[in-house]
Amino acid sequence: MLEQLKQTVYEANMDLPKYGLVTFTWGNVSAIDRESGYFVIKPSGMDYDKLKPEDMVVMDLDGNKIEGRYNPSSDTATHLELYKAFPKIGGVVHTHSPWATSWAQAGRGIPCYGTTHADYMYGEIPCARCLQGTEFDEYEKNTGLLIVETFQGKDYEAVPAVLCKNHGPFTWGKDACEAVHNAVVLEEVAKMAAQCEMINPEVRPAPQELQDKHYYRKHGANAYYGQNE
């Protein structure tokens, strides 16, 4: 079932250590087949160097395991809630990459200080609040619901990333490959922003006109960055 999607998700998961986004087993990638309503995700706690495409687990949007001999990632319920709430996404990534996680542990969103950030994400990358009280009873599900709550009134396509306070980052995209790409960008932007504040503690976000120019030249109706296919 969904053999090609399993291969894609396997390759996307293998990109996490390739790009230095995970240590040991600290991360996962999933991707959804919108036609069937099933998504494929990495199995829980398995070493990357031992993973194979056939190890990927198939889930439905009710949280049922459809296929796979292993338990799915412990973050599966978070991925599920994102797929339900954000209908235009096709892939989700969670890591504990050090720079993005440092901002999450500090409980701060990442301001847009320059054009590298603006090229990919429109404005500040938000940091969701920490879960409270009985929300911990369904921790992973409520993490997903909290991300959705954080994006009320925001464009999840324009800002395909979030930080979960005291936890770490999630990113998404039109497919698993783009979600990984956004995770790499997020980590680089997080590092640049932290170093920027070290160099100049009084730094302010980039002018809005500059942010608009760089975001919309790549993503706007009249975008002109790159090649016409």
Side-chain angles (χ1 to χ4, degrees):
M1 179 180 289
L2 301 177
E3 297 307 313
Q4 183 55 56
L5 193 59
K6 289 179 186 176
Q7 180 69 34
T8 297
V9 171
Y10 163 77
E11 292 174 2
N13 272 285
M14 297 306 291
D15 279 341
L16 298 187
K18 172 183 174 181
Y19 289 113
L21 297 179
V22 299
T23 302
F24 300 126
T25 62
W26 305 352
N28 44 74
V29 183
S30 70
I32 190 168
D33 174 58
R34 289 289 183 182
E35 185 175 348
S36 67
Y38 296 156
F39 66 98
V40 175
I41 194 165
K42 174 184 173 285
S44 179
M46 288 191 64
D47 292 337
Y48 284 86
D49 59 1
K50 297 179 180 177
L51 279 180
K52 299 183 292 295
E54 57 266 31
D55 296 332
M56 301 300 107
V57 184
V58 181
M59 303 292 296
D60 70 16
L61 289 176
D62 292 318
N64 301 307
K65 183 167 74 170
I66 302 302
E67 186 178 82
R69 61 178 177 143
Y70 295 114
N71 293 328
S73 167
S74 58
D75 296 301
T76 295
T78 306
H79 290 238
L80 187 158
E81 294 301 331
L82 297 182
Y83 287 129
K84 287 166 63 175
F86 299 161
K88 294 183 180 180
I89 69 173
V92 174
V93 172
H94 173 52
T95 75
H96 290 256
S97 58
W99 288 98
T101 300
S102 296
W103 284 87
Q105 291 181 170
R108 288 188 58 192
I110 304 175
C112 180
Y113 287 135
T115 61
T116 309
H117 182 140
D119 277 338
Y120 290 93
M121 303 191 188
Y122 189 57
E124 180 174 289
I125 299 162
C127 184
R129 65 173 175 83
C130 193
L131 295 175
Q132 303 171 7
T134 58
E135 290 176 324
F136 285 103
D137 294 342
E138 293 185 274
Y139 176 68
E140 292 81 11
K141 175 180 179 178
N142 285 325
T143 296
L145 293 174
L146 180 57
I147 293 170
V148 174
E149 173 190 297
T150 301
F151 273 79
Q152 288 182 359
K154 295 182 174 67
D155 185 345
Y156 65 84
E157 291 183 282
V159 186
V162 70
L163 308 175
C164 293
K165 187 177 180 183
N166 306 121
H167 185 185
F170 285 83
T171 61
W172 46 85
K174 69 178 185 295
D175 53 30
C177 181
E178 186 174 89
V180 171
H181 185 91
N182 289 333
V184 175
V185 171
L186 173 62
E187 180 67 0
E188 289 300 310
V189 165
K191 178 169 68 173
M192 290 179 187
Q195 292 175 339
C196 181
E197 292 192 359
M198 292 176 199
I199 296 167
N200 178 10
E202 304 302 320
V203 66
R204 305 298 299 166
Q208 191 62 50
E209 295 85 353
L210 184 64
Q211 294 188 41
D212 289 349
K213 181 63 178 179
H214 272 261
Y215 183 78
Y216 287 114
R217 74 174 186 162
K218 290 189 74 169
H219 305 281
N222 298 312
Y224 58 87
Y225 179 91
Q227 302 299 316
N228 295 323
E229 295 183 2

Short mmCIF file of all heavy atoms in Angstrom, two decimals, residues 172-218:
data_model
loop_
_atom_site.label_atom_id
_atom_site.label_comp_id
_atom_site.label_asym_id
_atom_site.label_seq_id
_atom_site.Cartn_x
_atom_site.Cartn_y
_atom_site.Cartn_z
N TRP A 172 6.14 22.33 7.56
CA TRP A 172 5.28 21.61 6.62
C TRP A 172 5.48 22.19 5.23
O TRP A 172 6.15 23.21 5.05
CB TRP A 172 3.82 21.69 7.04
CG TRP A 172 3.36 23.06 7.44
CD1 TRP A 172 2.92 24.06 6.61
CD2 TRP A 172 3.33 23.60 8.77
NE1 TRP A 172 2.61 25.19 7.34
CE2 TRP A 172 2.84 24.94 8.68
CE3 TRP A 172 3.64 23.09 10.03
CZ2 TRP A 172 2.67 25.75 9.79
CZ3 TRP A 172 3.48 23.91 11.14
CH2 TRP A 172 3.00 25.22 11.01
N GLY A 173 4.90 21.52 4.24
CA GLY A 173 4.99 21.98 2.86
C GLY A 173 4.03 21.21 1.99
O GLY A 173 3.25 20.38 2.48
N LYS A 174 4.10 21.46 0.68
CA LYS A 174 3.17 20.81 -0.24
C LYS A 174 3.43 19.31 -0.33
O LYS A 174 2.55 18.54 -0.72
CB LYS A 174 3.23 21.44 -1.62
CG LYS A 174 4.52 21.21 -2.39
CD LYS A 174 4.46 21.85 -3.78
CE LYS A 174 5.69 21.53 -4.63
NZ LYS A 174 6.92 22.11 -4.07
N ASP A 175 4.64 18.89 0.05
CA ASP A 175 4.98 17.47 0.11
C ASP A 175 6.10 17.29 1.12
O ASP A 175 6.57 18.27 1.74
CB ASP A 175 5.38 16.94 -1.27
CG ASP A 175 6.48 17.76 -1.95
OD1 ASP A 175 7.32 18.35 -1.23
OD2 ASP A 175 6.50 17.82 -3.19
N ALA A 176 6.55 16.05 1.29
CA ALA A 176 7.57 15.78 2.30
C ALA A 176 8.88 16.49 1.99
O ALA A 176 9.55 17.00 2.89
CB ALA A 176 7.80 14.28 2.42
N CYS A 177 9.24 16.54 0.71
CA CYS A 177 10.49 17.18 0.31
C CYS A 177 10.47 18.66 0.67
O CYS A 177 11.45 19.19 1.22
CB CYS A 177 10.71 16.99 -1.19
SG CYS A 177 12.23 17.72 -1.82
N GLU A 178 9.38 19.35 0.37
CA GLU A 178 9.30 20.77 0.69
C GLU A 178 9.28 21.00 2.20
O GLU A 178 9.84 21.97 2.70
CB GLU A 178 8.07 21.39 0.05
CG GLU A 178 8.00 22.91 0.24
CD GLU A 178 6.84 23.54 -0.53
OE1 GLU A 178 5.73 23.62 0.04
OE2 GLU A 178 7.05 23.93 -1.69
N ALA A 179 8.63 20.09 2.94
CA ALA A 179 8.61 20.22 4.40
C ALA A 179 10.02 20.11 4.98
O ALA A 179 10.39 20.85 5.90
CB ALA A 179 7.69 19.16 5.01
N VAL A 180 10.84 19.19 4.43
CA VAL A 180 12.24 19.08 4.87
C VAL A 180 13.01 20.33 4.48
O VAL A 180 13.80 20.86 5.27
CB VAL A 180 12.89 17.82 4.27
CG1 VAL A 180 14.40 17.81 4.54
CG2 VAL A 180 12.26 16.56 4.84
N HIS A 181 12.80 20.80 3.26
CA HIS A 181 13.45 22.03 2.80
C HIS A 181 13.16 23.17 3.78
O HIS A 181 14.08 23.92 4.17
CB HIS A 181 12.94 22.39 1.40
CG HIS A 181 13.62 23.55 0.78
ND1 HIS A 181 14.75 23.44 -0.01
CD2 HIS A 181 13.35 24.88 0.82
CE1 HIS A 181 15.14 24.64 -0.41
NE2 HIS A 181 14.30 25.53 0.07
N ASN A 182 11.90 23.30 4.20
CA ASN A 182 11.53 24.36 5.13
C ASN A 182 12.16 24.16 6.50
O ASN A 182 12.46 25.13 7.20
CB ASN A 182 10.01 24.46 5.23
CG ASN A 182 9.39 25.03 3.97
OD1 ASN A 182 10.03 25.79 3.24
ND2 ASN A 182 8.14 24.69 3.70
N ALA A 183 12.36 22.89 6.89
CA ALA A 183 13.03 22.62 8.17
C ALA A 183 14.49 23.07 8.12
O ALA A 183 15.03 23.60 9.11
CB ALA A 183 12.94 21.14 8.51
N VAL A 184 15.14 22.85 6.98
CA VAL A 184 16.53 23.30 6.81
C VAL A 184 16.59 24.83 6.84
O VAL A 184 17.45 25.43 7.52
CB VAL A 184 17.12 22.77 5.48
CG1 VAL A 184 18.51 23.35 5.24
CG2 VAL A 184 17.17 21.24 5.50
N VAL A 185 15.68 25.48 6.12
CA VAL A 185 15.63 26.94 6.11
C VAL A 185 15.38 27.47 7.52
O VAL A 185 16.05 28.42 7.97
CB VAL A 185 14.54 27.44 5.15
CG1 VAL A 185 14.33 28.94 5.30
CG2 VAL A 185 14.90 27.11 3.71
N LEU A 186 14.44 26.87 8.22
CA LEU A 186 14.13 27.32 9.59
C LEU A 186 15.37 27.26 10.47
O LEU A 186 15.66 28.20 11.23
CB LEU A 186 13.02 26.46 10.18
CG LEU A 186 12.71 26.69 11.66
CD1 LEU A 186 12.20 28.12 11.91
CD2 LEU A 186 11.69 25.67 12.17
N GLU A 187 16.12 26.18 10.39
CA GLU A 187 17.31 26.04 11.24
C GLU A 187 18.34 27.11 10.91
O GLU A 187 18.95 27.72 11.81
CB GLU A 187 17.91 24.64 11.08
CG GLU A 187 19.15 24.39 11.92
CD GLU A 187 18.91 24.37 13.42
OE1 GLU A 187 17.75 24.56 13.86
OE2 GLU A 187 19.90 24.19 14.17
N GLU A 188 18.54 27.38 9.63
CA GLU A 188 19.50 28.41 9.23
C GLU A 188 19.04 29.80 9.66
O GLU A 188 19.83 30.62 10.15
CB GLU A 188 19.73 28.37 7.72
CG GLU A 188 20.51 27.16 7.24
CD GLU A 188 21.89 27.09 7.85
OE1 GLU A 188 22.62 28.10 7.81
OE2 GLU A 188 22.25 26.04 8.41
N VAL A 189 17.75 30.08 9.49
CA VAL A 189 17.20 31.38 9.90
C VAL A 189 17.31 31.55 11.41
O VAL A 189 17.64 32.63 11.91
CB VAL A 189 15.74 31.49 9.42
CG1 VAL A 189 15.02 32.63 10.12
CG2 VAL A 189 15.69 31.69 7.91
N ALA A 190 17.04 30.47 12.15
CA ALA A 190 17.14 30.53 13.62
C ALA A 190 18.57 30.84 14.05
O ALA A 190 18.82 31.64 14.96
CB ALA A 190 16.67 29.21 14.23
N LYS A 191 19.55 30.22 13.39
CA LYS A 191 20.96 30.46 13.71
C LYS A 191 21.34 31.90 13.39
O LYS A 191 21.98 32.57 14.21
CB LYS A 191 21.84 29.49 12.93
CG LYS A 191 23.33 29.69 13.16
CD LYS A 191 24.15 28.55 12.58
CE LYS A 191 24.12 28.53 11.07
NZ LYS A 191 25.06 27.50 10.51
N MET A 192 20.95 32.38 12.22
CA MET A 192 21.28 33.75 11.83
C MET A 192 20.66 34.76 12.78
O MET A 192 21.31 35.75 13.16
CB MET A 192 20.79 34.01 10.41
CG MET A 192 21.56 33.28 9.33
SD MET A 192 20.85 33.64 7.70
CE MET A 192 21.78 32.52 6.68
N ALA A 193 19.42 34.53 13.16
CA ALA A 193 18.73 35.48 14.04
C ALA A 193 19.40 35.53 15.41
O ALA A 193 19.59 36.60 16.00
CB ALA A 193 17.26 35.10 14.18
N ALA A 194 19.78 34.37 15.94
CA ALA A 194 20.46 34.33 17.24
C ALA A 194 21.80 35.04 17.17
O ALA A 194 22.16 35.84 18.06
CB ALA A 194 20.64 32.89 17.70
N GLN A 195 22.57 34.78 16.12
CA GLN A 195 23.87 35.44 15.98
C GLN A 195 23.71 36.94 15.76
O GLN A 195 24.52 37.73 16.24
CB GLN A 195 24.63 34.79 14.83
CG GLN A 195 25.05 33.35 15.13
CD GLN A 195 25.70 32.66 13.95
OE1 GLN A 195 25.53 33.05 12.81
NE2 GLN A 195 26.45 31.60 14.24
N CYS A 196 22.66 37.30 15.03
CA CYS A 196 22.37 38.72 14.80
C CYS A 196 22.15 39.44 16.13
O CYS A 196 22.68 40.54 16.35
CB CYS A 196 21.14 38.83 13.90
SG CYS A 196 20.65 40.51 13.49
N GLU A 197 21.37 38.82 17.02
CA GLU A 197 21.12 39.44 18.32
C GLU A 197 22.37 39.47 19.19
O GLU A 197 22.52 40.36 20.03
CB GLU A 197 19.97 38.73 19.02
CG GLU A 197 18.63 38.93 18.33
CD GLU A 197 17.44 38.46 19.16
OE1 GLU A 197 17.66 37.94 20.28
OE2 GLU A 197 16.30 38.63 18.69
N MET A 198 23.25 38.49 19.02
CA MET A 198 24.51 38.51 19.76
C MET A 198 25.37 39.69 19.31
O MET A 198 26.00 40.37 20.13
CB MET A 198 25.28 37.20 19.53
CG MET A 198 24.64 35.97 20.11
SD MET A 198 25.62 34.50 19.65
CE MET A 198 24.42 33.19 19.92
N ILE A 199 25.41 39.93 18.00
CA ILE A 199 26.23 41.01 17.45
C ILE A 199 25.63 42.36 17.78
O ILE A 199 26.35 43.31 18.13
CB ILE A 199 26.36 40.84 15.92
CG1 ILE A 199 27.13 39.55 15.61
CG2 ILE A 199 27.07 42.04 15.29
CD1 ILE A 199 27.04 39.12 14.15
N ASN A 200 24.31 42.48 17.68
CA ASN A 200 23.62 43.74 17.94
C ASN A 200 22.36 43.49 18.74
O ASN A 200 21.29 43.22 18.17
CB ASN A 200 23.27 44.45 16.62
CG ASN A 200 22.52 45.75 16.86
OD1 ASN A 200 22.42 46.24 17.99
ND2 ASN A 200 21.98 46.33 15.79
N PRO A 201 22.44 43.55 20.08
CA PRO A 201 21.27 43.29 20.91
C PRO A 201 20.11 44.26 20.67
O PRO A 201 18.98 43.98 21.09
CB PRO A 201 21.81 43.42 22.34
CG PRO A 201 23.28 43.19 22.22
CD PRO A 201 23.65 43.76 20.89
N GLU A 202 20.37 45.37 20.00
CA GLU A 202 19.32 46.36 19.74
C GLU A 202 18.71 46.21 18.35
O GLU A 202 17.95 47.07 17.91
CB GLU A 202 19.91 47.78 19.89
CG GLU A 202 20.57 48.05 21.23
CD GLU A 202 19.62 47.86 22.40
OE1 GLU A 202 18.44 48.26 22.28
OE2 GLU A 202 20.05 47.29 23.43
N VAL A 203 19.04 45.13 17.67
CA VAL A 203 18.57 44.95 16.29
C VAL A 203 17.04 44.95 16.24
O VAL A 203 16.37 44.49 17.17
CB VAL A 203 19.13 43.65 15.70
CG1 VAL A 203 18.58 42.41 16.43
CG2 VAL A 203 18.84 43.55 14.21
N ARG A 204 16.51 45.47 15.15
CA ARG A 204 15.06 45.50 14.92
C ARG A 204 14.76 44.69 13.66
O ARG A 204 15.63 44.50 12.80
CB ARG A 204 14.57 46.94 14.71
CG ARG A 204 14.93 47.89 15.85
CD ARG A 204 14.30 47.46 17.16
NE ARG A 204 12.83 47.44 17.07
CZ ARG A 204 12.04 46.86 17.97
NH1 ARG A 204 12.58 46.22 19.00
NH2 ARG A 204 10.73 46.92 17.83
N PRO A 205 13.52 44.21 13.52
CA PRO A 205 13.16 43.48 12.30
C PRO A 205 13.42 44.30 11.04
O PRO A 205 13.42 45.54 11.07
CB PRO A 205 11.67 43.20 12.48
CG PRO A 205 11.48 43.16 13.97
CD PRO A 205 12.42 44.21 14.50
N ALA A 206 13.64 43.61 9.94
CA ALA A 206 13.87 44.27 8.66
C ALA A 206 12.66 45.13 8.28
O ALA A 206 11.52 44.81 8.66
CB ALA A 206 14.12 43.23 7.58
N PRO A 207 12.87 46.23 7.56
CA PRO A 207 11.74 47.06 7.13
C PRO A 207 10.69 46.24 6.39
O PRO A 207 11.03 45.33 5.62
CB PRO A 207 12.40 48.08 6.19
CG PRO A 207 13.83 48.13 6.62
CD PRO A 207 14.17 46.74 7.07
N GLN A 208 9.43 46.56 6.62
CA GLN A 208 8.36 45.79 6.02
C GLN A 208 8.43 45.79 4.50
O GLN A 208 8.15 44.78 3.84
CB GLN A 208 7.00 46.33 6.47
CG GLN A 208 5.82 45.42 6.10
CD GLN A 208 5.93 44.05 6.75
OE1 GLN A 208 6.13 43.93 7.95
NE2 GLN A 208 5.81 42.99 5.94
N GLU A 209 8.84 46.93 3.92
CA GLU A 209 8.94 47.00 2.46
C GLU A 209 9.95 45.99 1.92
O GLU A 209 9.74 45.38 0.87
CB GLU A 209 9.35 48.42 2.03
CG GLU A 209 8.33 49.50 2.34
CD GLU A 209 8.46 50.05 3.75
OE1 GLU A 209 9.25 49.50 4.56
OE2 GLU A 209 7.76 51.04 4.05
N LEU A 210 11.04 45.81 2.65
CA LEU A 210 12.06 44.84 2.23
C LEU A 210 11.54 43.42 2.38
O LEU A 210 11.74 42.57 1.51
CB LEU A 210 13.33 45.04 3.05
CG LEU A 210 14.53 44.17 2.68
CD1 LEU A 210 15.00 44.51 1.26
CD2 LEU A 210 15.66 44.35 3.68
N GLN A 211 10.86 43.15 3.48
CA GLN A 211 10.27 41.83 3.68
C GLN A 211 9.28 41.51 2.56
O GLN A 211 9.28 40.41 1.99
CB GLN A 211 9.56 41.76 5.04
CG GLN A 211 10.49 41.87 6.24
CD GLN A 211 9.75 41.58 7.54
OE1 GLN A 211 8.92 40.67 7.61
NE2 GLN A 211 10.04 42.36 8.58
N ASP A 212 8.42 42.48 2.24
CA ASP A 212 7.42 42.28 1.19
C ASP A 212 8.08 41.99 -0.15
O ASP A 212 7.67 41.08 -0.88
CB ASP A 212 6.52 43.51 1.06
CG ASP A 212 5.58 43.69 2.23
OD1 ASP A 212 5.45 42.76 3.05
OD2 ASP A 212 4.96 44.77 2.33
N LYS A 213 9.09 42.79 -0.48
CA LYS A 213 9.76 42.63 -1.77
C LYS A 213 10.32 41.23 -1.93
O LYS A 213 10.12 40.56 -2.95
CB LYS A 213 10.88 43.67 -1.91
CG LYS A 213 11.62 43.61 -3.25
CD LYS A 213 10.70 43.90 -4.42
CE LYS A 213 11.44 43.89 -5.74
NZ LYS A 213 10.52 44.16 -6.88
N HIS A 214 11.02 40.75 -0.90
CA HIS A 214 11.68 39.45 -1.02
C HIS A 214 10.70 38.30 -0.96
O HIS A 214 10.88 37.29 -1.66
CB HIS A 214 12.77 39.32 0.05
CG HIS A 214 14.07 39.87 -0.44
ND1 HIS A 214 15.08 39.07 -0.92
CD2 HIS A 214 14.50 41.15 -0.55
CE1 HIS A 214 16.09 39.83 -1.30
NE2 HIS A 214 15.77 41.09 -1.08
N TYR A 215 9.66 38.41 -0.15
CA TYR A 215 8.70 37.31 -0.10
C TYR A 215 7.90 37.23 -1.39
O TYR A 215 7.78 36.16 -2.00
CB TYR A 215 7.76 37.45 1.10
CG TYR A 215 6.81 36.27 1.18
CD1 TYR A 215 7.26 35.05 1.69
CD2 TYR A 215 5.52 36.35 0.68
CE1 TYR A 215 6.42 33.94 1.73
CE2 TYR A 215 4.68 35.25 0.71
CZ TYR A 215 5.14 34.05 1.24
OH TYR A 215 4.30 32.94 1.24
N TYR A 216 7.38 38.35 -1.84
CA TYR A 216 6.47 38.32 -2.98
C TYR A 216 7.17 38.14 -4.32
O TYR A 216 6.56 37.69 -5.28
CB TYR A 216 5.59 39.58 -2.98
CG TYR A 216 4.56 39.53 -1.90
CD1 TYR A 216 4.59 40.44 -0.83
CD2 TYR A 216 3.55 38.57 -1.91
CE1 TYR A 216 3.64 40.39 0.18
CE2 TYR A 216 2.61 38.51 -0.90
CZ TYR A 216 2.66 39.41 0.14
OH TYR A 216 1.72 39.34 1.15
N ARG A 217 8.47 38.43 -4.40
CA ARG A 217 9.16 38.17 -5.67
C ARG A 217 9.34 36.67 -5.89
O ARG A 217 9.56 36.22 -7.02
CB ARG A 217 10.50 38.89 -5.74
CG ARG A 217 11.60 38.30 -4.88
CD ARG A 217 12.92 38.99 -5.10
NE ARG A 217 13.99 38.30 -4.38
CZ ARG A 217 15.28 38.45 -4.64
NH1 ARG A 217 15.65 39.29 -5.58
NH2 ARG A 217 16.18 37.81 -3.95
N LYS A 218 9.20 35.88 -4.80
CA LYS A 218 9.28 34.43 -4.93
C LYS A 218 7.91 33.77 -4.87
O LYS A 218 7.71 32.70 -5.45
CB LYS A 218 10.16 33.83 -3.82
CG LYS A 218 11.63 34.15 -3.96
CD LYS A 218 12.47 33.37 -2.97
CE LYS A 218 12.59 31.92 -3.36
NZ LYS A 218 13.61 31.21 -2.56
#
